Amino acid sequence: MPENLYQIQWFPGHMAKTRRLIKESLPLVDAVMQLLDARIPRSSQNPEIQSIIENKPNIVLLNKSDVADPQSTRAWIEHFAKCGIKAIPVDCKKGVGIDKIIPAARELLSDKIKLWQQKGMGNRPIRLMVVGIPNVGKSTFINRIARANKAKTADRPGVTRGNQWFSLGKGGEVLDTPGVLWPKFDDEQAGKNLAYTGAIKDAIIDIEGLAAQLLGELKDGGKTGFVERYKLNALKNFNPDDKQGYDLLELIARKRGMLISGGELDTERAAVMVLDEFRAGLLGRITLEMPD
Ligand code: G4P
C-alpha cells in the first residue's frame, strides 16, 4: 500500500505556502474550526495543526458523522473534551449540527466576548475560519452556509480585499476561503484509512488490494455489515473467520454475478462497488479508529 501518495501533491514549498496562507487569515478570525472526518478523526488530522493555528482557540467539527458509528463519535467527543477541545458532530451535506457551532464558539470565547461587551461591542459577530485536509468536506460546509445566507456580508475595512464572509446564523461569520491542510504522510495506517474513506483518489491506487484490505480489517474488527449487504451468509458453510480479505472480495464478486469473459471473477468491479458502498455508509455506519 503506497502510503506516500499525498507527497506527490504536497512538497515542502506547497506546505510552506499553505502555512503562510493560513497565517495571513488567522488575524482576521477569533477561532478556527478544524474539520475532521468522523470515521477517522486521527488519520484525517494534519500532523502540525497546533503549530499552524498557533494559539488561536479552536473547535473540532467531526464531519460525515452520518456515516460514522454514533457510539464511536461519542467516544471521540469525550476524548477531545479531555484534551480541552470542544468537538461537534456534523453532517455538512444535510446541514446537521451546524447550529451548534456558534453557541460552542461563544462559550469558547466567553472571556473575549465579555471584553467586547465592556467596550460596547457586544454585538460584534464571532469570526471563524475552516481548515482541513482535502476531501474532508470544507467546500460542502462553505457551500451549505453560503446557500443558506445568500446575502454575503460586505468586505470590511482592514480586511484584505476579496475576503468574503458568510453568516453562520446569529452572531457568527465564516471566512469564505478554507485552509487546505496536508494529511499525514508517514503513518501507514493513516494512509490506508484515508484511501478507504476516499480522501486519496482511486485512479492512482490498487483498487482490488485496497478493497481486500478494507474487507479484512472490517472482518477483524467485527464490523460485518458487508456479510448481510452481500448476503454472504447464504453461501454454503460460510464463516468469515476462515476468510482473508481477498477471498471475501471474490465471494462478493461471485454473489453479485460479476464476471469477465471466460467466466473469471471481475474482482476489480467488485472492489469499486465495495469501496463506493463503504464510503456511502451502505455497509453500516463505521468508524475505523478509536481514541487511544
Ligand atoms: P473539501 O472541500 O474539503 O476538499 O471536500 P468537499 O466539500 O469537496 O467534500 C468531499 C466529499 O465529501 C464530497 O463527496 C462531499 O459530498 C462529501 N461530504 C462532505 N460532507 C459530507 C457529510 O457530512 N456527509 C457525507 N456523507 N459526505 C460528505 P463527493 O463524492 O466528492 O461528491 P458528491 O458525490 O457528494 O457530490
Side-chain angles (χ1 to χ4, degrees):
M1 170 71 209
E3 75 264 28
N4 288 335
L5 281 170
Y6 264 124
Q7 268 169 327
I8 299 166
Q9 294 159 29
W10 293 93
F11 45 92
H14 210 136
M15 284 148 75
K17 188 175 172 204
T18 289
R19 246 177 214 286
R20 182 173 52 74
L21 289 176
I22 294 179
K23 227 181 177 67
E24 278 170 14
S25 298
L26 279 178
L28 309 178
V29 300
D30 303 305
V32 170
M33 293 178 287
Q34 205 191 135
L35 211 53
L36 302 180
D37 186 322
R39 297 166 297 177
I40 50 167
R42 186 180 304 112
S43 300
S44 59
Q45 189 167 46
N46 171 275
E48 290 173 37
I49 184 68
Q50 219 48 55
S51 84
I52 293 170
I53 64 172
E54 298 168 354
N55 47 9
K56 250 327 143 187
N58 76 102
I59 294 174
V60 161
L61 303 182
L62 293 169
N63 192 34
K64 312 196 186 183
S65 59
D66 54 312
V67 284
D69 166 45
Q71 207 178 327
S72 307
T73 300
R74 281 194 291 276
W76 275 105
I77 291 169
E78 271 173 38
H79 165 80
F80 281 110
K82 278 188 199 143
C83 305
I85 296 174
K86 173 86 178 173
I88 302 171
V90 295
D91 167 356
C92 289
K93 240 174 155 171
K94 297 201 197 72
V96 177
I98 306 283
D99 58 337
K100 307 279 189 301
I101 298 173
I102 288 303
R106 293 197 80 81
E107 206 180 312
L108 182 69
L109 299 167
S110 58
D111 289 346
K112 201 168 180 180
I113 292 171
K114 268 185 213 136
L115 283 176
W116 292 346
Q117 284 164 345
Q118 283 164 15
K119 291 187 199 160
M121 292 161 51
N123 289 330
R124 177 196 179 294
I126 292 174
R127 292 178 195 136
L128 302 158
M129 76 176 290
V130 56
V131 301
I133 65 166
N135 282 311
V136 75
K138 297 176 298 301
S139 323
T140 309
F141 176 84
I142 301 274
N143 290 339
R144 174 105 220 153
I145 59 170
R147 257 205 319 276
N149 303 282
K150 281 229 167 69
K152 294 174 192 167
T153 45
D155 289 3
R156 292 196 181 71
V159 168
T160 316
R161 191 176 285 278
N163 280 325
Q164 295 288 325
W165 298 82
F166 294 114
S167 164
L168 187 53
K170 226 169 126 218
E173 292 177 358
V174 177
L175 190 60
D176 67 346
T177 334
V180 185
L181 296 167
W182 63 92
K184 297 192 164 97
F185 300 131
D186 49 7
D187 176 331
E188 192 177 343
Q189 189 60 45
K192 284 184 194 169
N193 288 343
L194 291 165
Y196 296 152
T197 52
I200 295 178
K201 293 282 165 268
D202 294 342
I204 48 170
I205 50 183
D206 164 19
I207 296 283
E208 288 173 71
L210 186 68
Q213 285 197 40
L214 173 63
L215 288 166
E217 283 192 33
L218 293 178
K219 183 205 75 171
D220 292 343
K223 297 172 177 116
T224 50
F226 68 87
V227 173
E228 289 92 68
R229 173 84 189 159
Y230 303 118
K231 301 192 169 59
L232 300 184
N233 276 333
L235 293 165
K236 214 171 160 207
N237 298 328
F238 176 75
N239 177 1
D241 293 334
D242 299 342
K243 308 282 181 234
Q244 303 289 322
Y246 197 79
D247 303 329
L248 292 167
L249 187 63
E250 284 190 332
L251 288 176
I252 290 167
R254 178 164 304 139
K255 202 75 188 62
R256 286 290 169 105
M258 291 177 167
L259 302 172
I260 37 181
S261 57
E264 221 176 290
L265 291 170
D266 192 347
T267 41
E268 191 179 334
R269 210 173 125 210
V272 171
M273 176 186 72
V274 165
L275 288 167
D276 278 352
E277 297 200 345
F278 167 74
R279 291 167 187 168
L282 297 174
L283 309 187
R285 292 177 67 174
I286 295 172
T287 300
L288 291 173
E289 58 190 7
M290 294 300 284
D292 289 329

